[in-house]
Amino acid sequence: MAERQPLHQPLLPVSALVHEEIPPKKHLCCFCCCNMRETVLWIQFFFGIVWATAWLISYSLGYYKQWASDPQIIADLTLAYWKVAIINGVGIGIALVVIFGAIYYKPALVFLGAIYTIIEAILTPIYIYPVVKDFYTSSWTYIVWPIIYGMLIVYPHVVFTYELKTGVWENPNFSE
């Protein structure tokens, strides 16, 4: 005959009866500074708007023309930099959309920033490197830097999108 459990002991442990849900923890950028939403907002403001505007001004003033004396190279640089200027102009518009998405918790709009950064990191060296490789000794940086820059920018966008999709940011009033 099976033993009976004493009446003073519950059948289930108390921890199984009381379900305390701990809210998921938000990731910190590089494990130290600010949460991913703030990081996306700062990145888009600084790199997406301020930095791109500074580059657009630089392109329009023609500072790149002092790098070479050959008219063909100057013509190639002008064409390449105008293509990159168009990329930066589109980037400013994308940055505004991503900022809107981060403020109003729209994962698709935030992820658009990651997609655009990848496209920008691919197109910029395609347009610039063939022109500068012959006369600029550190021209390899035009290939390496967009890859590094792209990874640093894409990381918070992807993580913040993941947090939005998994419900970590369900309570917009939560701040850490």
Side-chain angles (χ1 to χ4, degrees):
M1 187 163 159
E3 287 186 36
R4 291 188 172 182
Q5 186 171 356
L7 293 176
H8 66 278
Q9 290 181 344
L11 295 174
L12 295 173
V14 175
S15 61
L17 298 174
V18 178
H19 181 67
E20 293 180 21
E21 190 170 317
I22 299 170
K25 193 105 168 119
K26 292 174 177 58
H27 293 90
L28 297 178
C29 183
C30 301
F31 306 106
C32 64
C33 52
C34 52
N35 62 44
M36 291 298 165
R37 179 176 181 248
E38 293 169 351
T39 305
V40 167
L41 289 170
W42 278 110
I43 284 173
Q44 288 301 323
F45 175 73
F46 182 73
F47 288 112
I49 297 174
V50 174
W51 188 262
T53 303
W55 273 107
L56 284 174
I57 292 170
S58 172
Y59 300 149
S60 67
L61 296 176
Y63 287 130
Y64 57 87
K65 292 178 184 175
Q66 63 191 355
W67 293 352
S69 57
D70 182 13
Q72 181 59 41
I73 292 177
I74 291 175
D76 291 344
L77 276 172
T78 303
L79 179 63
Y81 276 116
W82 278 111
K83 289 177 183 177
V84 174
I86 291 169
I87 293 170
N88 281 345
V90 170
I92 292 172
I94 297 286
L96 292 172
V97 170
V98 173
I99 288 172
F100 175 82
I103 290 173
Y104 292 104
Y105 304 97
K106 307 288 185 194
L109 298 181
V110 173
F111 195 67
L112 179 66
I115 292 170
Y116 175 76
T117 302
I118 292 168
I119 292 169
E120 180 186 33
I122 292 169
L123 289 181
T124 300
I126 288 173
Y127 291 139
I128 298 295
Y129 182 74
V131 179
V132 299
K133 69 180 168 71
D134 294 331
F135 65 92
Y136 186 55
T137 57
S138 299
S139 61
W140 59 272
T141 59
Y142 280 95
I143 294 174
V144 174
W145 173 245
I147 294 169
I148 295 170
Y149 163 81
M151 288 188 303
L152 292 173
I153 301 299
V154 167
Y155 162 70
H157 288 78
V158 170
V159 173
F160 183 52
T161 302
Y162 172 77
E163 289 177 344
L164 287 170
K165 288 283 194 178
T166 57
V168 174
W169 284 90
E170 283 183 335
N171 185 358
N173 297 323
F174 182 80
S175 61
E176 262 187 55

